[in-house]
Amino acid sequence: MTSDPNASPFNPLPPIVVALAVLIVGVEVLFQLRGDGLRLEWIERWGFYEPMFDWMIENRQFRWEFLVRFVSYPFVHGNMTHTLFVLVFLLALGKLVGELFHAAAVLVIFFGSAIVGALVFGLVWDTRAVLFGGYPAVYGLIGSYSFLLWVKLTGSGENRLMAFRLIAFLMGIQLIWSLFSGGNKEWVADLSGFAAGFCLSFLVAPGGFGKVLELVRRG
């Protein structure tokens, strides 16, 4: 057995994950250079705003400047810490998912989870609070990672519920934080993003739904 002495000890990140991270970092760098005034302006301009969603439903009109917010809000964050936490999830979970899924599948999971998270947020809450930040999208990657664990546990005959330990831990932490911070409506979008990522993985997993179903039936 031979090894390359010049090989990197770290596996490279999937290019699509790097691209998403660069977009998030680029927006945050712009905020750091231009100040919080631009941050607040972009949150208002690109964040998901539930009254706009209600207006489209009530009037049965779908305006581009409203629809684009479903996919733009994950790139705008409230502060540097918010951005860094989203990046940690994106790089860690994106690497695990992106090494097994096609780049297009990663995009479907990321943006699909963001869209579903915003939709459910808009349907559940009647609020003027703006939804922004990448948590619903990266929670979708957590859902996809949980899907991979679920399939693995199914194939080995182990308890499938073990695949959901990570999301249970995160939602527990979020619940505690919500109690101390006076309530946080964003958990609905995060949990919905997770569910979307898990379900979408059935469709975009290598081999498709049929292969996953066959494995589950064998389990």
Side-chain angles (χ1 to χ4, degrees):
M1 181 179 295
T2 60
S3 60
D4 183 1
N6 297 317
S8 171
F10 304 102
N11 293 326
L13 287 165
I16 191 60
V17 175
V18 173
L20 291 170
V22 167
L23 284 174
I24 291 173
V25 171
V27 172
E28 183 59 38
V29 168
L30 186 61
F31 291 157
Q32 293 298 320
L33 293 175
R34 297 284 298 276
D36 286 338
L38 182 65
R39 187 190 300 277
L40 293 174
E41 178 186 335
W42 278 34
I43 287 175
E44 292 179 358
R45 182 176 180 181
W46 301 110
F48 177 80
Y49 191 45
E50 192 271 339
M52 290 182 177
F53 175 71
D54 279 351
W55 184 91
M56 288 193 296
I57 298 300
E58 291 172 2
N59 294 276
R60 298 183 181 179
Q61 296 183 33
F62 299 96
R63 298 174 58 176
W64 168 252
E65 60 267 33
F66 294 172
L67 292 174
V68 71
R69 293 168 179 259
F70 281 93
V71 294
S72 63
Y73 81 87
F75 298 97
V76 184
H77 296 87
N79 51 51
M80 176 73 80
T81 302
H82 190 189
T83 302
L84 290 176
F85 273 106
V86 168
L87 279 174
V88 168
F89 281 113
L90 173 61
L91 296 177
L93 278 302
K95 175 179 172 58
L96 294 171
V97 174
E99 288 179 343
L100 296 176
F101 283 27
H102 191 276
V106 175
L107 285 179
V108 168
I109 292 168
F110 184 90
F111 286 108
S113 299
I115 292 170
V116 171
L119 276 173
V120 176
F121 180 86
L123 291 171
V124 170
W125 301 122
D126 181 13
T127 177
R128 300 185 68 85
V130 180
L131 176 66
F132 58 91
Y135 277 129
V138 295
Y139 267 58
L141 293 174
I142 296 174
S144 187
Y145 173 68
S146 298
F147 166 84
L148 293 173
L149 287 178
W150 182 77
V151 171
K152 180 179 179 181
L153 292 170
T154 297
S156 63
E158 299 181 56
N159 185 358
R160 301 173 191 173
L161 293 178
M162 298 293 286
F164 303 102
R165 286 183 298 178
L166 178 57
I167 187 61
F169 172 77
L170 290 173
M171 293 310 297
I173 293 295
Q174 197 167 55
L175 176 60
I176 294 173
W177 172 255
S178 179
L179 292 175
F180 282 99
S181 63
N184 180 0
K185 293 180 170 63
E186 294 178 5
W187 67 268
V188 169
D190 297 343
L191 186 58
S192 301
F194 169 84
F198 185 87
C199 294
L200 286 170
S201 296
F202 280 90
L203 303 178
V204 301
F209 177 78
K211 185 174 181 180
V212 175
L213 182 60
E214 180 184 351
L215 178 58
V216 172
R217 285 174 174 172
R218 287 206 309 265

